[in-house]
């Protein structure tokens, strides 16, 4: 079957290659395949993408210059049913003979099979029919081009086109654009009929987008409309719309210049069969009514409960279930304030962020009680979500730890816990799996497991014993989360128990900036089976065992095959080496290897207690999901253990024999950590995007620690990192990933990726990833793993490759094939392209883009 599949694929590839010589196979006589649209502006070719997008017809798509989809289409039989029937018509008796062997029904079905029909349907649907030049569409494209250049200030533009044959049934269309001189803006005046709007316009400090000397661009006029409308509507002009703004462009008697008069008319009011105009009014809010349990079914029923709080009127069709402040704190529309779209948007965002209501509806009506008709009543309609929400998931997994795993989780969300819009999230998870690498004395298929429970309580405000409104106002949408969790592993690594807890604050200083302050983040990691270390970290065991085969002098340390016994033999042999009871001395390389192995064993088997505080700031210019020209910068500063050291020092607590403080008979971790992450995207049009990412992180132990806990260390490799290496298999430094799970306390990562469309929702990418991890300022003694000076930057690894992505709208499925281009694990001078082949490549599967 495998040989047949290979032959079919080879046949299709060869057929496509051959048909490339006949790209005009399906172009009728007298017609031409569109090979290129050539836009000539004043005699010079242009690559203006916006101009190219005016075309009604575009050439067939290419993949690296090859018209793959066109040739796939040409390879297809467009009428496979007729061809199948013609086979029997041209061969009398064939149908009867095949019917005797199969049956008439099976012979008919054979004509609908993949071999006769399906493959051609696939080629036709996946391929792309030839784009044949249509002069009607060409003329329409020409009209579009004329308007495009006219809207950019070339009022005297002239256009025509020619069709040049460039081969048999192939041609290009030349669009000839003679722009003439561009018109520039000269004088700019205003004619605003409503006095209050005229005053607002003059007091607006924002610079106008229309400036004398600029070239005329219709887009500038539209953006100026939007700017003025936003300003007016944020200052009380409730009924104002962009349609009230017009421009008078005067070029008479001007030498390629235009005088602009900005005209803003009065409000047009429709009254039955007639209309009238009157000056615009600026509105203030006279009342804010909040309907806390609105739904279409109860809209016409009687209000049952109500209250007034801080000039807000709260109504409920049943019983009011919320403390008033929980809702009013989320509303920026206040009684007596001027109407503002921004306040409306902020209120909607904040209310939605509470996560106890569906998306809110805020509506305004003119207050008929005001004789001047300059007051609005704001009605806020809130539809509560269900108080209790239950969720469940089931996953099947495969990883470098488990050959096969089944994971399940359940969750419960409880809303409005204390009647102030709090939410409580409780979740439990369990995973069972099978691993041939783990201990399995009973020969059970499922021999590894992990379970855990997490709770999180969210408050839509800053929980502090003092007020924070002046430094973190509510417009920043602040929130507080208190979290706790527990998990336990069996037969996974060292069988850990993990306890976590903390309190964190979140807020948004600006629209696209976010801040997270983890005031306290506690983690206690307890290794239940430290004696299993050498069964998990087999590379360390193999290295120690090789040394013992030469220098071990105690028969009890090894088994009948001469291998060190885990864990008594490994422990005793290590102690004998480090206490000078073997032939090894500190000057021997093997002695240093044993010392390094023991240092890592102690570091990874010791229980860890971390009490950290961190500050994370993120900013981005990304406007929405479709924005592909943006940057994002994220930085995080974390400090652990300093508070405990300060308390221990002030309290005069004694240190242990290692000179460190303890809490609950456990040395706590102390370090400072900093991370910087920068992402930049450039959009080149036609779905071509260049993406770049840089990352630098460092964690420095001090005081109570001389190393960084495993859970806070860095690793390199994987589908979102250097894709030419597996996770944890790169570094540190030039050590050739000697250990099983390689980590360190400093990391540099650089990635660049060029993304392009192949066809339909299938995208391609070419990428390069560079980076590594190192040990710095900790207790690691291996010089190959340490970063000592800038010369160690030569140990930055480089991977390159290509990938495919399939866009499912809500997420992207990604496959990347990475090749080791520069491997610092090899000797200098032998690092480039040493393993640049499929045998050493790494296939990565991922969800969504890596950055």
């Amino acid at each position: 079957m495998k040989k047949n599949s290979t032959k079919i694929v080879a046949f299709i590839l060869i057929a496509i290659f051959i048909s490339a010589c006949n790209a005009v196979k399906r172009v009728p006589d007298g017609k031409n395949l569109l090979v290129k649209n050539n836009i000539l502006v004043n005699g010079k070719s242009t690559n203006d993408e916006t101009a190219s997008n005016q075309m009604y017809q575009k050439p067939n798509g290419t993949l690296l210059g090859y018209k793959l989809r066109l040739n796939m289409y040409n390879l297809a039989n467009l009428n496979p049913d007729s061809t199948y029937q013609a086979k029997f018509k041209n061969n009398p008796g064939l149908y009867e003979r095949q019917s005797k062997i199969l049956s008439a029904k099976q012979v008919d079905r054979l004509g609908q099979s993949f071999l006769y029909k399906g493959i051609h349907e696939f080629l036709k649907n996946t391929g792309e029919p030839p784009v044949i030049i249509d002069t009607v569409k060409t003329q329409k494209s020409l009209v579009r081009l004329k308007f495009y250049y006219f809207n950019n200030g070339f009022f005297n533009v002239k256009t025509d086109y020619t069709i040049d044959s460039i081969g048999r049934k192939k041609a290009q269309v030349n669009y000839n654009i003679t722009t003439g001189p561009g018109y520039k803006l000269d004088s700019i005046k205003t004619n605003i009929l409503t006095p209050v709007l005229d005053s607002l316009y003059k007091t607006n400090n924002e610079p106008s987008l229309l400036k004398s000397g600029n070239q005329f661009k219709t887009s500038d006029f539209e953006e100026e409309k939007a700017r003025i409308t936003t300003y007016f509507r944020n200052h009380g002009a409730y009924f104002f719309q962009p349609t009230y703004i017009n421009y008078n462009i005067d070029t008479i008697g001007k030498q390629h210049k235009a005088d602009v008069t900005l005209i803003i008319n009065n409000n047009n009011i429709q009254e039955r069969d007639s209309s009238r105009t009157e000056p615009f009014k600026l509105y203030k809010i006279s009342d804010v009514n909040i309907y806390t349990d609105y739904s279409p079914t109860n809209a016409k029923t009687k209000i049952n409960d109500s209250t007034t709080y801080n000039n807000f009127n709260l109504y409920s069709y049943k019983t009011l279930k919320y403390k008033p402040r929980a809702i009013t704190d989320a509303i920026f529309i206040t009684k007596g304030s001027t109407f503002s779209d921004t306040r409306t948007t902020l209120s909607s965002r904040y209310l939605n962020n509470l996560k106890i209501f569906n998306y809110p509806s805020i509506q305004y009506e003119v207050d008929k009680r005001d004789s001047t008709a300059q007051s609005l009543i704001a009605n806020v309609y809130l539809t509560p979500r269900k108080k209790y929400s239950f969720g469940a998931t089931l996953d099947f997994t495969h990883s470098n730890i488990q050959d096969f795993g089944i994971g399940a989780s359940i969750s419960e969300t409880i809303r409005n816990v204390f009647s102030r819009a709090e939410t409580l999230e409780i979740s439990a998870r369990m995973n069972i799996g099978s691993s041939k690498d783990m201990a399995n004395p009973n020969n059970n298929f499922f021999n590894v497991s992990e379970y855990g429970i997490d709770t999180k309580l969210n408050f839509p405000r800053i929980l502090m014993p003092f007020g924070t409104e002046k430094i973190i106002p509510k417009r920043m949408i602040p929130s507080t989360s208190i979290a706790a969790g527990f998990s336990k592993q069996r037969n996974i690594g060292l069988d850990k128990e993990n306890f976590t807890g903390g309190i964190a604050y979140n807020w948004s200083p600006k629209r696209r900036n976010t801040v997270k302050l983890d005031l306290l983040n506690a983690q206690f990691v307890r290794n239940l089976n430290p004696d299993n270390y050498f069964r998990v970290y087999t590379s360390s065991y193999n290295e120690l065992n090789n040394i013992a085969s030469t220098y071990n002098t105690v028969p009890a340390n090894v088994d009948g095959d001469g291998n060190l016994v885990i864990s008594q033999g490994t422990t005793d042999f290590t102690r004998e080496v480090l206490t000078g009871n073997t032939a090894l001395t500190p000057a021997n390389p093997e002695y240093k290897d044993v010392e390094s192995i023991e240092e890592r064993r102690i570091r990874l088997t010791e229980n860890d207690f971390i009490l950290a505080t961190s500050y994370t700031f993120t900013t981005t210019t990304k406007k929405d999901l479709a924005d592909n020209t943006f940057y994002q910068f994220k930085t995080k500063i974390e400090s652990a253990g300093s508070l405990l050291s300060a308390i221990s020092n002030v309290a005069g607590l004694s240190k242990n024999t290692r000179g460190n403080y303890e809490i609950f008979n456990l040395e706590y971790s102390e370090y400072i950590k900093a991370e910087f992450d920068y992402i930049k995207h450039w959009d080149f049009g036609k779905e071509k995007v260049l993406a770049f990412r840089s990352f630098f992180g460092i964690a420095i132990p001090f005081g109570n620690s001389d190393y960084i806990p495993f859970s806070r260390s860095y690793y390199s490799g994987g589908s979102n990192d250097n894709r030419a290496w597996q996770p944890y298999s790169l570094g540190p430094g030039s050590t050739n990933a000697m250990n099983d799970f390689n980590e360190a306390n400093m990391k540099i990562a650089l990635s660049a990726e060029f993304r392009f469309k192949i066809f339909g929702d299938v995208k391609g990418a070419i990428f390069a990833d560079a980076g590594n991890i190192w040990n710095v300022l900790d207790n690691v003694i291996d010089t190959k793993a340490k970063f000592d000076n800038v010369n160690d930057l030569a140990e930055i690894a480089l991977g390159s490759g290509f990938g495919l992505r399939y866009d499912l709208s809500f997420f992207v499925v990604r496959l990347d094939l990475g090749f080791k281009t520069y491997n610092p694990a090899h000797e200098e001078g032998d690092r480039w392209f040493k393993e640049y082949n499929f045998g050493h490549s790494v296939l990565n599967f991922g969800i969504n883009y890596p950055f």
Side-chain angles (χ1 to χ4, degrees):
M1 181 64 185
K2 186 175 180 181
K3 290 183 178 179
N4 290 336
S5 300
T6 304
K7 290 178 180 178
I8 292 172
V9 172
F11 168 74
I12 292 174
L13 292 176
I14 293 170
I16 289 174
F17 176 76
I18 294 172
S19 66
C21 301
N22 192 17
V24 296
K25 175 181 178 180
R26 302 197 186 279
V27 177
D29 292 337
K31 301 290 184 178
N32 287 304
L33 177 72
L34 177 61
V35 176
K36 182 181 180 182
N37 285 322
N38 189 23
I39 302 176
L40 298 166
V41 180
N42 299 323
K44 295 182 179 179
S45 182
T46 179
N47 292 321
D48 185 344
E49 184 189 355
T50 308
S52 297
N53 288 337
Q54 309 304 312
M55 302 293 102
Y56 274 91
Q57 285 188 302
K58 294 183 179 181
N60 290 97
T62 62
L63 175 62
L64 302 178
Y66 178 67
K67 297 183 184 295
L68 175 64
R69 295 184 65 198
L70 171 62
N71 288 304
M72 289 178 69
Y73 185 88
N74 286 340
L75 189 62
N77 183 342
L78 301 184
N79 297 293
D81 291 333
S82 300
T83 303
Y84 187 71
Q85 295 299 326
K87 180 175 71 170
F88 298 112
K89 188 176 181 179
N90 297 331
N91 295 276
L94 178 62
Y95 184 86
E96 288 75 11
R97 290 195 299 272
Q98 290 191 357
S99 296
K100 290 178 181 179
I101 300 172
L102 301 172
S103 74
K105 194 173 183 179
Q106 288 178 324
V107 173
D108 292 338
R109 283 183 177 176
L110 186 62
Q112 301 298 314
S113 67
F114 179 78
L115 183 64
Y116 281 94
K117 184 176 181 179
I119 189 171
H120 296 289
E121 291 293 330
F122 169 78
L123 291 171
K124 183 173 69 173
N125 294 331
T126 306
E128 182 182 40
V131 178
I132 298 171
I133 295 176
D134 182 339
T135 55
V136 173
K137 292 181 178 179
T138 303
Q139 290 169 355
K140 288 182 177 180
S141 298
L142 202 63
V143 172
R144 276 188 174 181
L145 282 170
K146 185 172 184 177
F147 279 116
Y148 170 70
Y149 283 98
F150 184 91
N151 288 331
N152 279 277
F154 300 102
F155 296 158
N156 299 320
V157 62
K158 295 180 180 179
T159 60
D160 64 14
Y161 74 89
T162 59
I163 298 176
D164 291 345
S165 177
I166 56 174
R168 178 177 170 270
K169 293 186 178 182
K170 295 180 181 180
Q172 73 174 21
V173 180
N174 300 312
Y175 293 92
N176 302 301
I177 314 296
T178 304
T179 62
Y183 278 71
K184 297 184 181 297
L185 305 185
D186 195 6
S187 66
I188 300 173
K189 301 176 183 178
T190 61
N191 182 15
I192 304 174
L193 301 184
T194 300
V196 291
L197 294 188
D198 189 43
S199 298
L200 271 180
Y201 181 86
K202 291 176 179 176
T203 57
N204 187 359
N205 293 324
E206 295 179 1
S208 172
L209 298 173
L210 304 179
K211 296 180 180 179
S212 180
N214 286 359
Q215 182 157 327
F216 177 97
K217 287 186 179 180
T218 301
S219 59
D220 288 344
F221 285 81
E222 292 302 314
E223 289 176 14
E224 178 68 0
K225 272 188 180 183
R227 185 189 72 86
I228 294 171
T229 302
T230 299
Y231 186 77
F232 284 175
R233 288 186 60 84
N234 280 333
H235 290 80
Y238 173 66
F239 287 105
F240 191 83
Q241 297 295 331
T243 52
Y244 287 103
I245 302 176
N246 294 296
Y247 300 99
N248 182 25
I249 313 297
D250 184 8
T251 61
I252 298 175
K254 294 285 185 178
Q255 185 68 24
H256 307 129
K257 291 184 178 181
D259 291 331
V260 179
T261 302
L262 184 149
I263 302 169
I264 299 179
N265 296 312
N266 281 334
N267 189 14
N268 185 44
I269 301 172
Q270 291 291 132
E271 292 179 340
R272 295 183 180 179
D273 297 332
S274 63
S275 63
R276 62 184 176 85
T277 61
E278 66 176 28
F280 282 97
K281 297 175 182 178
L282 303 185
Y283 288 85
K284 290 186 176 294
I285 306 299
S286 58
D287 269 318
V288 182
N289 300 324
I290 305 169
Y291 299 88
T292 61
D293 55 355
Y294 174 81
S295 70
T297 57
N298 63 21
K300 296 182 180 180
T301 60
K302 184 180 178 181
I303 296 295
N304 185 60
D305 196 2
S306 64
T307 188
T308 299
Y309 177 80
N310 282 354
N311 291 322
F312 292 95
N313 304 317
L314 290 91
Y315 301 100
S316 176
Y317 294 96
K318 297 178 182 179
T319 302
L320 193 61
K321 298 179 181 179
Y322 310 94
K323 292 180 180 178
R325 187 177 175 184
I327 298 175
T328 60
D329 277 357
I331 297 176
F332 296 82
I333 308 161
T334 57
K335 186 175 182 178
S337 65
T338 301
F339 165 79
S340 168
D341 272 343
T342 298
R343 291 176 181 269
T344 306
T345 303
L346 274 173
S347 300
S348 295
R349 284 180 57 206
Y350 203 137
L351 287 166
N352 190 55
N353 200 59
L354 293 179
K355 299 178 181 178
I356 62 172
F357 300 110
N358 293 326
Y359 200 81
S361 173
I362 301 177
Q363 301 176 12
Y364 295 89
E365 60 178 290
V366 177
D367 191 347
K368 297 177 180 178
R369 299 170 298 180
D370 184 0
S371 59
T372 64
Q374 290 183 272
S375 298
L376 293 175
I377 298 174
N379 295 311
V380 182
Y381 298 98
L382 305 176
T383 303
R385 297 185 184 182
K386 292 181 180 179
K387 185 174 181 66
Y388 301 97
S389 294
F390 177 80
T393 63
L394 179 66
D395 298 309
F396 298 93
T397 59
H398 170 77
S399 67
N400 57 344
I401 295 176
Q402 297 182 76
D403 301 308
F404 174 75
I406 302 175
S409 67
I410 57 174
S411 62
E412 180 74 18
T413 300
I414 306 172
R415 298 182 176 87
N416 199 35
V417 179
F418 306 120
S419 300
R420 287 197 62 184
E422 304 86 357
T423 57
L424 175 63
E425 302 170 18
I426 304 172
S427 62
R429 64 189 186 280
M430 183 174 183
N431 178 280
I432 56 174
S434 174
S435 175
K436 60 180 180 292
D437 296 327
M438 300 302 173
N440 194 7
N442 299 321
N443 199 29
N444 296 323
F445 179 75
F446 291 110
N447 60 325
V448 298
S449 65
E450 180 179 6
Y451 63 86
I453 186 169
D454 297 288
T455 61
K456 187 177 181 181
L457 183 59
N458 299 297
F459 300 85
R461 55 192 174 276
I462 298 293
L463 274 187
M464 283 282 190
F466 52 86
T468 59
E469 177 68 21
K470 291 185 177 180
I471 54 175
I472 307 176
K474 69 176 187 177
R475 64 176 173 80
M476 296 183 181
I477 314 182
S479 64
T480 303
S481 62
I482 300 175
F486 166 76
S487 64
K488 185 174 181 177
Q489 298 174 342
R490 182 183 68 85
N491 274 3
I492 300 178
L494 306 180
D495 296 353
K496 298 179 185 293
E497 283 184 342
N498 190 22
F499 300 84
T500 59
I503 179 170
Y505 304 105
N506 297 273
W507 66 92
S508 299
K510 293 183 179 180
R511 184 71 176 88
R512 296 186 179 92
N513 295 353
T514 59
V515 171
K516 182 179 182 182
L517 173 63
D518 279 286
L519 185 63
L520 293 174
N521 186 313
Q523 181 181 25
F524 172 55
V525 180
R526 180 186 174 198
N527 293 305
L528 302 177
N529 191 9
D531 291 342
N532 201 40
Y533 176 81
F534 283 110
R535 292 188 181 91
V536 176
Y537 298 89
T538 55
S539 296
S540 295
Y541 173 78
N542 291 335
E543 187 178 3
L544 186 67
N545 196 47
N546 288 336
I547 297 172
S549 65
T550 303
Y551 296 99
N552 178 55
T553 58
V554 180
N557 290 341
V558 297
D559 59 17
D561 296 324
N563 297 318
L564 286 173
V565 177
I566 301 174
S567 64
Q568 190 62 47
T570 54
T571 301
D572 291 346
F573 174 69
T574 300
R575 184 176 62 251
E576 289 159 10
V577 171
L578 299 182
T579 55
N581 292 321
T582 66
L584 291 172
T585 67
N588 296 119
E590 292 86 351
Y591 182 96
K592 293 181 180 179
D593 290 340
V594 173
E595 190 177 31
S596 179
I597 292 170
E598 179 65 5
E599 169 273 318
R600 190 168 194 263
R601 187 195 67 81
I602 292 173
R603 178 157 55 93
L604 297 183
T605 57
E606 279 189 339
N607 298 332
D608 292 321
F609 180 73
I610 305 168
L611 183 64
T613 298
S614 66
Y615 175 87
T616 305
F617 173 78
T618 305
T619 183
T620 182
T621 59
K622 190 176 180 70
K623 298 175 183 177
D624 50 49
L625 291 175
D627 187 0
N628 279 319
T629 299
F630 70 94
Y631 75 83
Q632 176 182 298
F633 175 73
K634 179 180 180 181
T635 183
K636 180 179 180 181
I637 307 296
E638 180 177 316
S639 174
S642 298
L643 177 62
L644 294 175
S645 289
I647 294 174
S648 300
N649 191 33
V650 171
L653 301 181
S654 59
K655 298 183 177 181
N656 61 17
T657 55
R658 295 174 57 183
N660 294 329
Y661 290 116
E662 292 183 346
I663 181 171
F664 309 123
N665 296 320
L666 177 67
E667 293 183 9
Y668 55 85
S669 298
E670 188 170 9
Y671 61 84
I672 186 75
K673 186 177 185 180
E675 295 178 352
F676 305 92
D677 194 355
Y678 179 76
I679 296 172
K680 174 69 176 175
H681 285 202
W682 293 269
D683 190 343
F684 294 104
K686 298 182 181 179
E687 299 191 53
K688 296 177 181 177
V689 175
L690 176 64
F692 169 79
R693 183 198 180 198
S694 62
F695 175 87
F696 174 77
I698 186 170
I700 302 174
F702 68 95
N704 219 55
S705 298
D706 56 5
Y707 66 87
I708 301 299
F710 184 87
S711 61
R712 304 298 170 98
S713 297
Y714 299 108
Y715 72 90
S716 193
S719 61
N720 293 324
D721 197 75
N722 198 319
R723 286 163 279 187
W725 278 264
Q726 296 283 3
Y728 294 98
S729 65
L730 173 58
S734 58
T735 59
N736 197 21
M738 295 173 58
N739 301 304
D740 296 276
F741 297 94
N742 297 277
E743 40 75 43
N745 64 325
M746 189 180 92
K747 178 175 181 176
I748 295 175
L750 300 166
S751 292
E753 181 173 281
F754 182 68
R755 302 165 185 167
F756 51 88
K757 180 179 180 179
I758 297 179
F759 59 83
D761 293 325
V762 179
K763 312 290 195 301
I766 301 171
F767 63 83
D769 302 319
N772 207 336
I773 55 174
W774 294 269
N775 290 96
V776 58
L777 302 175
D778 62 2
N779 64 347
V780 172
I781 59 176
D782 188 349
T783 56
K784 288 186 175 182
K786 296 175 69 175
F787 188 94
D788 296 316
N789 53 59
V790 293
N791 293 330
D792 290 324
L793 292 177
E795 296 171 350
I796 291 179
L798 175 64
S800 58
F802 57 89
L804 292 174
R805 290 97 166 87
Y806 187 74
D807 192 345
L808 294 172
S809 296
F810 46 94
F811 68 89
V812 175
V813 178
R814 173 166 54 91
L815 286 175
D816 289 323
L817 188 63
F819 297 88
K820 296 177 179 62
T821 308
Y822 177 86
N823 190 348
H826 297 302
E827 295 295 327
E828 292 186 31
D830 198 27
R831 294 175 173 178
W832 285 100
F833 303 105
K834 180 73 174 180
E835 299 166 318
Y836 201 86
N837 52 60
F838 284 99
H840 291 91
S841 65
V842 175
L843 181 64
N844 299 272
F845 173 81
I847 299 296
N848 293 327
Y849 291 106
F851 50 89

